[in-house]
Amino acid sequence: AMWGMLGERPVDVVHFESFGKGWYTDCKTLGLEATGLREIAAEKYGVLPDLGMINPKHDVVFTWNGTTSGVKVPDGAGFIDDAREGLAICDATSAVFAMPIAWDKIDVLTFSWQKVLGGEGAHGMIVLGPRAVQRLESFVPPNRPIPKIFAMTKKGKIDEALFEGNVINTVSMLCVEDYVDALDWVESIGGLDGAIKRSKANLAAMEAFVDARPWISFLAADPAVRSNTSVCLTLDLTPEQVKALAKLLDKEGAAYDIGAYRDAPPGLRVWCGATVETADIVKLTEWIEWAYEEVKAAK
């Protein structure tokens, strides 16, 4: 989407964690500084930047949920102007099927089968609104050849075949069937509302644990922007002790890959999406407390 749509007007890139920052780097690689590229960045992990800085005349690129910071944008996405002139392009990889998406605020949205539905990780999905289609059909980026895999138009019009099952290379049918099975599972738990409810229940279990203990905190202190999928925690331990705690949980088979993302402050990162049972989150908190006491007592 960025490759084929951006460059018609200035671009604001909003980021508050490592993957969003990567989109800003990609925009620079595409040469968008020539037409106006602005970085709207959070001061630190765990908070949002000033979303009021977004110019509705510009295109804006942002992540809905920061998987490495445990921060999400506010429900309703009120920071996106209804009368915007630019496009709103959103990476919602770890938000779709776990958070209510304000679709009327979005022109382009991408997500994967992997995150919330636990599907195969190599396949991405793109959702285009009417304004995005209009951009594709009216704007050709100058001096920027479009790779075949990114091309969404044919003879100046949207290539609708791409959205009817026609692909460049045949997609693994096993992966497709796995995704269909995941969607059937979502229906069985009450549809989208049921999936969101399960994720929020998992976050509530983590909040009950954290609120009762002074030695552990959420990286996102503000509950209004706290992620209910990628929950990030900090502890009153040294970075070395945090690593020891994570290794201890791994050794005991209680949690794998639970350490914070490499670019984030030392801490823990717990997936609380709908595929996780709340009872298992509660059990995990007990293991975290045990591991914390073990690490604190070690000499």
Side-chain angles (χ1 to χ4, degrees):
M2 291 167 54
W3 201 296
M5 296 185 199
L6 297 182
E8 187 263 356
R9 62 180 62 234
V11 179
D12 292 342
V13 180
V14 177
H15 67 80
F16 41 93
E17 47 89 58
S18 55
F19 292 108
K21 187 175 182 179
W23 295 131
Y24 176 69
T25 300
D26 289 342
C27 284
K28 290 196 292 184
T29 302
L30 291 175
L32 295 175
E33 289 171 306
T35 53
L37 177 62
R38 188 167 58 146
E39 180 182 23
I40 302 176
E43 295 181 356
K44 61 180 180 179
Y45 273 73
V47 298
L48 288 174
D50 181 3
L51 300 178
M53 293 178 62
I54 297 172
N55 188 332
K57 295 181 181 294
H58 296 180
D59 292 334
V60 59
V61 177
F62 69 101
T63 52
W64 193 280
N65 180 73
T67 56
T68 65
S69 66
V71 176
K72 64 175 184 176
V73 297
D75 289 345
F79 57 94
I80 301 294
D81 197 323
D82 289 334
R84 62 191 177 280
E85 297 178 21
L87 297 180
I89 300 177
C90 177
D91 170 3
T93 299
S94 55
V96 170
F97 287 104
M99 302 173 191
I101 305 297
W103 292 101
D104 59 320
K105 300 282 189 175
I106 305 298
D107 300 300
V108 182
L109 182 141
T110 60
F111 69 99
S112 76
W113 300 351
Q114 172 194 11
K115 288 292 184 180
V116 177
L117 296 187
E120 204 277 333
H123 295 85
M125 304 291 285
I126 187 168
V127 182
L128 303 179
R131 301 175 73 252
V133 173
Q134 182 182 36
R135 173 71 64 83
L136 283 169
E137 295 182 341
S138 63
F139 172 70
V140 178
N143 303 316
R144 189 195 307 157
I146 306 297
K148 185 176 182 180
I149 195 172
F150 294 154
M152 289 188 283
T153 59
K154 182 178 290 186
K155 297 181 180 180
K157 294 294 182 179
I158 189 75
D159 186 359
E160 294 187 5
L162 293 174
F163 302 91
E164 296 173 351
N166 188 18
V167 294
I168 296 173
N169 293 307
T170 303
V171 178
S172 165
M173 292 298 104
L174 181 61
C175 293
V176 172
E177 187 60 30
D178 178 71
Y179 184 49
V180 171
D181 186 66
L183 292 174
D184 289 341
W185 173 77
V186 170
E187 278 197 352
S188 75
I189 61 169
L192 176 62
D193 290 342
I196 293 174
K197 183 178 179 180
R198 281 172 64 99
S199 182
K200 288 185 175 180
N202 289 339
L203 172 62
M206 290 298 306
E207 288 177 329
F209 173 73
V210 172
D211 289 347
R213 290 156 182 83
W215 48 266
I216 188 168
S217 304
F218 288 99
L219 187 57
D222 182 0
V225 298
R226 182 179 298 156
S227 172
N228 53 289
T229 55
S230 51
V231 176
C232 297
L233 305 164
T234 60
L235 304 96
D236 66 353
L237 299 173
T238 67
E240 292 74 20
Q241 287 176 314
V242 172
K243 289 181 181 179
L245 187 151
K247 288 181 179 179
L248 189 55
L249 292 174
D250 183 283
K251 179 182 178 181
E252 295 293 331
Y256 301 110
D257 193 26
I258 197 174
Y261 191 73
R262 59 180 176 269
D263 295 333
L268 303 178
R269 184 167 59 146
V270 180
W271 183 252
C272 287
T275 55
V276 179
E277 299 288 343
T278 302
D280 289 334
I281 292 293
V282 173
K283 291 177 182 177
L284 173 63
T285 61
E286 296 170 357
W287 275 104
I288 291 174
E289 184 158 37
W290 170 82
Y292 172 81
E293 292 172 352
E294 289 289 309
V295 169
K296 287 289 284 188
K299 295 182 180 179

